[in-house]
Amino acid sequence: MPSSTIPPRRPTVLVTAALTAVVSAALLGAADGRAAPAENGVRAENGAPAETGAERARRLFLDHGPKAAVMTAAHRGQWRKAPENSVAALRAAFADGAEIVEADVRMTKDHVPVLMHDATVDRTTNGKGRVSDLTLAQLRGLRLRAGLGGRQAPLTGERVPTVADALKAARTLGLVNLDQAWEDREAVWRVMEETGTVRNGLFKSRAPVPEVKAFLGRHKGALYMHVVEDANAASVGEFGKGRPPAFEVVFDDVRDKVAAPAFVRGLRSTGRVWFNTMRDGFAARFTDEASLIDPARGWGRLIAAYGATVLQTDNVRALRSYLTTGAADRVPPGAVRVQAEGYAPGGEGKAYHDTDAGNRGDGPGRPGEGVDVCDHDGAVVVCWMRGSEWLTYTVDVPKTGPYTLKVRASSPYEPAGTYRIAFDGGRPGKAVRVAGTTAHQAFFLQDSHDPRQLTRGRHTVRLSLDEGAFQNWNLDYLQLEPGGNSRRAPFVPGGRKFYVQLK
Ligand SMILES: [Ca+2]
Ligand SMILES: [Ca+2]
Ligand SMILES: [Ca+2]
């Protein structure tokens, strides 16, 4: 099924023309071109000290005018390139254009704030146990796992950073939104003072307003964002005239009170409005993956209809691309993309083979057909992929020449499986290994390194899964790209840079 025919799950809201105008200006503002972030000490051409990326991010964050450009916040850093909540992921996120990095704070047994999302180190390191039961020295002995972690994610050379490490790394680069830090806010504030990074840190909470005001009264320079959802929507009014510079709005249904145009317009008039687009339910169904199919289904809608001026994403580069060029996940020139769920018609044994009848997934499969289709937070994919299954596709090749197939796939398993490609009823090629991507929701484009000569015109492609091999992966789309580069290194999530060789 072409992706454009996937029905939206929920009704959309009416947009007021005035709000649309304001937020369109915000999007255009983002496309005006960025002041080049500069390291401390770098001077602009006129000899004046250049503004650092961090100072620019802070200035933008405090700007809520009608032309305020939409800002990019990287969820747990750029985990597509380095382990989540690592210093390398933080640096990579800023390098890719994020102005803000979101990171999660936990306290060690010896009361040192560190970056770690979960209560335990089990998912993201090679250790075990609760962060609060481990000393900093013990944590420092652990290695972080690639990407989003998981039992089979490869180990990297990166270590668990302290909040001090993270803030120091961000000093000239941007803001760090310290999530889960409110409970330990005084300890985190002390770290900011000690490291000279008071201007980099961004606190957030859902705490009672008097508690927030007391903290901000004690620490005048603290940057703060208040989180609102239906349960605490009234807290906005309790701030009176002393509203924080930003509100994070969380809604799982477009009919929620906090998603009402008048409510978000009110927030937008005095500050920035931040939405999370990583998964379903933070901003209804307006997710990263929906945005990658068509930005109007996610990011564009949040900007136009909900006054979004900060988007927190797992897809920093695609969001930056959208904000600067209007396109999120563009098909490369000369390439052909076919959605996995858009397999050929003809039924079981002719167009596909699936090991069980019916759709085991939660996505829009075809009635009466066995191919399993899932909806992973807006990514419509073929899932429950198992040995012996196969799918066929028709592709229109624009020009005669060599082409290399790539697949956008995900899997928490390593390796995730193998597939072979056959064109036009010919013999299947060599087995191509699908590498684990550390999570079902972590999709990466993986190169088959199996270039083929194709003539201009229509071809059929059969993708078959080896029967004897372990198979458990998800396929979003296939992409035939012109050229053949079989010498490139095999895919590893995050690239090879951060990996350690294990004996
Ligand atoms: Ca099935
Ligand atoms: Ca299946
Ligand atoms: Ca797809």
Side-chain angles (χ1 to χ4, degrees):
M1 171 188 302
S3 55
S4 59
T5 61
I6 296 160
R9 285 188 179 174
R10 296 208 172 94
T12 49
V13 296
L14 291 172
V15 190
T16 68
L19 182 60
T20 308
V22 166
V23 295
S24 298
L27 179 56
L28 288 172
D32 280 345
R34 297 154 49 83
E39 295 291 327
N40 271 348
V42 173
R43 286 182 178 268
E45 278 174 26
N46 62 7
E51 186 180 37
T52 66
E55 285 303 321
R56 175 180 174 275
R58 188 179 172 93
R59 173 173 58 77
L60 289 180
F61 193 76
L62 294 172
D63 173 14
H64 64 267
K67 289 188 174 176
V70 176
M71 298 179 76
T72 301
H75 179 228
R76 303 183 194 173
Q78 181 51 293
W79 56 261
R80 293 177 178 281
K81 294 188 171 177
E84 71 169 51
N85 281 318
S86 66
V87 166
L90 180 140
R91 289 186 192 279
F94 289 130
D96 281 344
E99 293 97 355
I100 306 167
V101 169
E102 186 258 9
D104 304 283
V105 177
R106 296 268 172 190
M107 293 296 263
T108 64
K109 188 178 179 182
D110 42 349
H111 306 293
V112 180
V114 295
L115 297 195
M116 179 70 60
H117 179 272
D118 298 359
T120 74
V121 301
D122 300 11
R123 176 175 59 87
T124 55
T125 77
N126 58 342
K128 269 199 174 312
R130 298 181 69 82
V131 180
S132 57
D133 292 337
L134 296 166
T135 63
L136 180 64
Q138 287 171 317
L139 274 171
R140 290 293 208 193
L142 306 178
R143 290 183 187 281
L144 286 169
R145 293 188 181 279
L148 297 175
R151 210 156 38 92
Q152 297 188 25
L155 293 177
T156 73
E158 290 289 310
R159 309 279 175 160
V160 176
T162 62
V163 168
D165 295 336
L167 287 168
K168 282 191 270 186
R171 195 195 319 263
T172 62
L173 302 178
L175 301 179
V176 183
N177 173 213
L178 296 161
D179 198 7
Q180 307 181 162
W182 187 251
E183 199 180 318
D184 302 307
R185 58 196 176 279
E186 296 295 346
V188 171
W189 178 259
R190 279 195 297 278
V191 170
M192 289 179 185
E193 286 191 321
E194 285 160 15
T195 53
T197 56
V198 162
R199 294 175 70 79
N200 294 91
L202 169 59
F203 288 93
K204 76 172 185 183
S205 85
R206 293 172 165 80
V209 172
E211 186 179 305
V212 173
K213 287 194 161 186
F215 179 73
L216 297 177
R218 282 197 296 280
H219 306 301
K220 294 296 183 195
L223 212 49
Y224 176 80
M225 171 169 72
H226 198 62
V227 184
V228 286
E229 53 200 335
D230 272 7
N232 71 339
S235 64
V236 175
E238 294 172 37
F239 281 101
K241 288 195 170 156
R243 283 196 190 181
F247 286 95
E248 178 180 315
V249 179
V250 179
F251 66 104
D252 62 2
D253 190 310
V254 294
R255 291 163 296 194
D256 283 359
K257 271 185 290 187
V258 294
F263 184 83
V264 290
R265 199 161 53 237
L267 300 181
R268 178 69 187 81
S269 68
T270 63
R272 284 198 171 255
V273 185
W274 169 308
F275 292 99
N276 304 316
T277 56
M278 299 83 69
R279 290 192 291 279
D280 286 345
F282 291 147
R285 294 264 300 156
F286 304 124
T287 59
D288 287 349
E289 287 292 341
S291 307
L292 294 178
I293 298 170
D294 178 357
R297 295 187 188 194
W299 301 328
R301 183 109 189 122
L302 287 170
I303 293 166
Y306 294 87
T309 48
V310 186
L311 293 171
Q312 186 180 175
T313 181
D314 279 325
N315 290 272
V316 172
R317 295 190 74 166
L319 175 56
R320 291 302 311 161
S321 167
Y322 171 61
L323 294 175
T324 52
T325 71
D329 185 16
R330 206 192 290 272
V331 181
V336 184
R337 181 181 296 174
V338 53
Q339 295 293 331
E341 65 279 12
Y343 59 93
E348 167 68 38
K350 293 192 175 67
Y352 71 85
H353 168 60
D354 197 273
T355 48
D356 48 45
N359 176 13
R360 298 182 75 175
D362 60 350
R366 293 183 197 162
E369 297 204 350
V371 176
D372 306 300
V373 178
C374 291
D375 182 331
H376 285 229
D377 299 308
V380 179
V381 303
V382 173
C383 51
W384 292 92
M385 294 180 70
R386 297 292 182 266
S388 83
E389 295 185 340
W390 51 268
L391 295 151
T392 54
Y393 297 89
T394 51
V395 291
D396 287 310
V397 170
K399 200 174 157 188
T400 298
Y403 286 83
T404 303
L405 186 93
K406 296 183 179 179
V407 296
R408 188 171 190 255
S410 73
S411 174
Y413 304 103
E414 177 59 52
T418 58
Y419 68 89
R420 292 170 198 265
I421 290 293
F423 283 91
D424 305 315
R427 289 173 64 84
K430 65 177 184 183
V432 180
R433 183 174 172 278
V434 180
T437 63
T438 72
H440 281 298
Q441 69 268 34
F443 286 89
F444 288 85
L445 197 58
Q446 302 191 25
D447 194 325
S448 68
H449 301 288
D450 188 11
R452 304 295 182 88
Q453 184 71 23
L454 295 173
T455 53
R456 180 167 180 262
R458 182 157 290 194
H459 294 269
T460 64
V461 185
R462 179 189 282 204
L463 181 144
S464 51
L465 277 63
D466 287 339
E467 185 156 16
F470 174 81
Q471 306 278 3
N472 193 337
W473 50 294
N474 310 289
L475 178 61
D476 180 16
Y477 59 69
L478 302 83
Q479 191 157 288
L480 271 178
E481 295 188 10
N485 184 3
S486 58
R487 284 178 300 176
R488 276 177 41 194
F491 170 83
V492 285
R496 309 191 72 76
K497 196 171 160 189
F498 300 105
Y499 289 83
V500 288
Q501 292 298 320
L502 297 179
K503 296 257 158 57

